[in-house]
Amino acid sequence: SFAVPCALLRLMCAAAVLTYSWVIGGFGAKEYADDAKKYIEIEKLISENYVDGIARSELYESAASAMVRSLGDKWSYYMTAEQYAAYKLSSANEYAGIGVSLKQNDKGEFEISSVDPGTPAYTAGLTAGQFIVSVDGEKVKGMTITELQELIRSKLDKNFNLEVSDGKGDESTVNLACEAIYQSPVSHRLLDDGVGYIKIRNFEAGCCRDTVAAIEYLISIGAKSFVFDLRDNPGGLLSELAGVLDYILPEGDLFVSVDKTGRETVLRSDKICLKYNMAVLVNENTYSAAEFFAAAIQEYDWGTVVGGQTGGKARSQSTVELSDGSAIHISTGKYLTPDRKDLAAAGGVTPDVPVQNTVDGTDLQLDTAVSKLRY
């Protein structure tokens, strides 16, 4: 419930203030002493009496998480040090790994289905069709894929031995490193009739560079129009969004951010723009920066938005690292479209052409978007 996290918030703040007061000579202790005392009493009672036992660190992690949950804002959350490390990799469009895709058979064995060029696995000579037997001597058969991924990620920036098999009894061992591997958020292909299709998975690091490169490549091989697929795109960095929109749109406002005092900051586009017919694909899992991309294209009448109603996330977050390596991700402002529309209040972006895909696997949304382009 809301009341319990709020109480924990108050108690933890009190405990922190009291702790500092002991160090610096009593400043602020009087105001928070009762709450701090209660928090310490609860912790002591749990530690001494809880039948199954619990680590003190777990109590503090749970309390810290509850503090942020008490805000009632689904976009604000607490991250442990491990979660924050993974978050930083994700924001850089990187993942900790060796550069392979895996599939698990009904025997619990892990087969390498593909190896990405330029990765540690590629350099070590691993190939599709091999099976991973052990990681640093720890047998992996029977693990889940998630467990195996976590085991490999635990070796980040370290060299380790990977035992592999050809599936016929011949086994070998390679030494390689788990590294942060960049994975482009953009993919592209040329469809029939000169339609350049660009899928943008997120607007994290590298998105602007890779999107512009995709557009220019598709133009060089004959693209006459574009479909930007932002379905299931959770958003990302304002700087990446602004860069892509500046490349595409004519001169004018691109984006408005508003802080808690009501002060506006406006990002603008220059006169250089992309003069091609275009459509934008969205759905209910299109959030944040991806929604604002669609909204800007729509408000400039620069293209047709096709698909489903978007999620309506129009709040900006700041991530602050804490002293122990954990972090708080907290809403600190709101975003408005070029026409000063709050997408949270509006319930997201309403497509110009509402279309839902069917269960038979036909991509009606893409087909509709292509049909709306005029050559």
Side-chain angles (χ1 to χ4, degrees), residues 82-150:
E82 293 77 16
Q83 290 168 336
Y84 183 47
Y87 170 85
K88 287 188 286 187
L89 284 176
S90 176
S91 295
N93 271 314
E94 295 178 337
Y95 67 93
I98 58 175
V100 299
S101 296
L102 299 171
K103 58 184 178 181
Q104 189 172 26
N105 62 25
D106 54 9
K107 298 179 182 178
E109 299 170 324
F110 294 97
E111 182 181 355
I112 298 173
S113 54
S114 65
V115 179
D116 296 330
T119 62
Y122 183 86
T123 302
L126 297 181
T127 60
Q130 291 181 309
F131 292 83
I132 295 180
V133 178
S134 68
V135 175
D136 253 357
E138 184 174 347
K139 298 295 183 181
V140 302
K141 184 177 180 179
M143 290 183 178
T144 65
I145 284 185
T146 298
E147 288 171 338
L148 175 54
Q149 289 172 334
E150 290 178 349

Side-chain angles (χ1 to χ4, degrees), residues 278-283 291 293-299 302-308 310 349-355 368-369 372:
M278 61 188 68
V280 181
L281 287 171
V282 296
N283 64 7
E291 295 180 86
F293 179 96
I297 297 295
Q298 188 179 63
E299 291 181 356
W302 213 247
T304 304
V305 178
V306 178
T310 67
V349 175
T350 300
D352 299 306
V353 184
V355 182
T368 302
K372 294 298 177 181

